[in-house]
Amino acid sequence: QKEVEQNSGPLSVPEGAIASLNCTYSDRGSQSFFWYRQYSGKSPELIMSIYSNGDKEDGRFTAQLNKASQYVSLLIRDSQPSDSATYLCAVIPSGTYKYIFGTGTRLKVLA
Amino acid sequence: DGGITQSPKYLFRKEGQNVTLSCEQNLNHDAMYWYRQDPGQGLRLIYYSQIVNDFQKGDIAEGYSVSREKKESFPLTVTSAQKNPTAFYLCASSDGLLTGELFFGEGSRLTVL
């Protein structure tokens, strides 16, 4: 069973701090990795996609991928109360079109 | 504007009734997906389709049916055989493995009375 694991949280950080969200995956051949933000009662919104080892930055968000350790993370700099949401990690395992989602980490940014 | 439209947003159903949830996309995406999300839970795949006139069962297909007669449309029918249908249903589409980025509609919330 191919899996994606996330700590359910909640992860609480003060406003202005860096929030670090982590995700591990079981299929070593996975090639595509995604982070989604989901506000309560709303649908997931794509924040970042990453395909190769290293860091990818987009505004206040940085995705980090380490395929050797089967680990992908999302850093949110200068966290704002509006960042409070559940963050879902998703992976496309090798040889499939099926996305595997983690159960999400709930982030709370305290004003 | 390009996007994915789901309807209805809220739906109430009596036990024993079939209901159909609509999903339309104008992103010219080949792949479309249906997910179910229960409170505090992750996304579970119901059905997916890579191309018109073809679809595959996901992890929880029992009690559901789909069709893919047009590239733009991927309706989901929740049948009376689905024992616990109250949930948040999400339709999504992607450009396949070009970027693999998956985009979601706003969701349909089904409540069985």
Side-chain angles (χ1 to χ4, degrees), chain B residues 1-2 5 21 57 68 73 83:
Chain B
D1 271 30
T5 302
L21 307 181
K57 292 182 180 180
R68 186 85 187 276
S73 178
K83 297 305 176 193

Side-chain angles (χ1 to χ4, degrees), chain B residues 11-98:
Chain B
L11 184 61
F12 297 89
R13 182 193 105 172
K14 292 183 180 178
E15 281 193 25
Q17 287 182 334
N18 292 356
V19 294
T20 297
L21 307 181
S22 170
C23 179
E24 303 277 333
Q25 55 99 358
N26 60 5
L27 299 168
N28 199 33
H29 284 169
D30 286 316
M32 297 187 74
Y33 300 77
W34 275 104
Y35 290 91
R36 168 180 173 144
Q37 188 174 39
D38 294 285
Q41 303 291 315
L43 301 176
R44 292 188 289 169
L45 181 63
I46 304 172
Y47 269 97
Y48 65 106
S49 168
Q50 299 303 309
I51 198 169
V52 174
N53 292 323
D54 189 43
F55 49 82
Q56 287 78 42
K57 292 182 180 180
D59 302 316
I60 56 164
E62 186 175 350
Y64 299 98
S65 66
V66 293
S67 63
R68 186 85 187 276
E69 297 176 3
K70 298 187 299 181
K71 186 175 184 177
E72 305 80 23
S73 178
F74 192 40
L76 173 74
T77 296
V78 184
T79 75
S80 57
Q82 169 49 234
K83 297 305 176 193
N84 187 19
T86 295
F88 188 41
Y89 291 89
L90 290 159
C91 179
S93 72
S94 81
D95 56 12
L97 295 180
L98 189 62

Side-chain angles (χ1 to χ4, degrees), chain A residues 48 55-58 60-64 73-75 77:
Chain A
M48 296 282 287
D55 295 0
K56 179 181 177 183
E57 188 175 315
D58 184 359
R60 294 187 297 113
F61 299 99
T62 298
Q64 299 175 318
S73 64
L74 179 70
L75 301 178
R77 289 182 299 282

Side-chain angles (χ1 to χ4, degrees), chain A residues 25-99:
Chain A
Y25 59 94
S26 62
D27 181 62
R28 186 168 288 278
S30 298
Q31 296 295 324
S32 304
F33 308 86
F34 309 92
W35 282 101
Y36 289 83
R37 177 176 62 199
Q38 186 175 26
Y39 293 113
S40 181
K42 303 295 186 182
S43 63
E45 172 191 9
L46 180 66
I47 298 176
M48 296 282 287
S49 54
I50 187 165
Y51 307 99
S52 54
N53 279 328
D55 295 0
K56 179 181 177 183
E57 188 175 315
D58 184 359
R60 294 187 297 113
F61 299 99
T62 298
Q64 299 175 318
L65 176 60
N66 184 325
K67 289 185 179 181
S69 300
Q70 295 175 239
Y71 175 96
V72 57
S73 64
L74 179 70
L75 301 178
I76 306 175
R77 289 182 299 282
D78 187 25
S79 294
Q80 301 297 309
S82 58
D83 294 325
S84 297
T86 297
Y87 289 80
L88 303 171
C89 174
V91 173
I92 302 179
S94 56
T96 179
Y97 289 93
K98 292 170 65 172
Y99 298 76

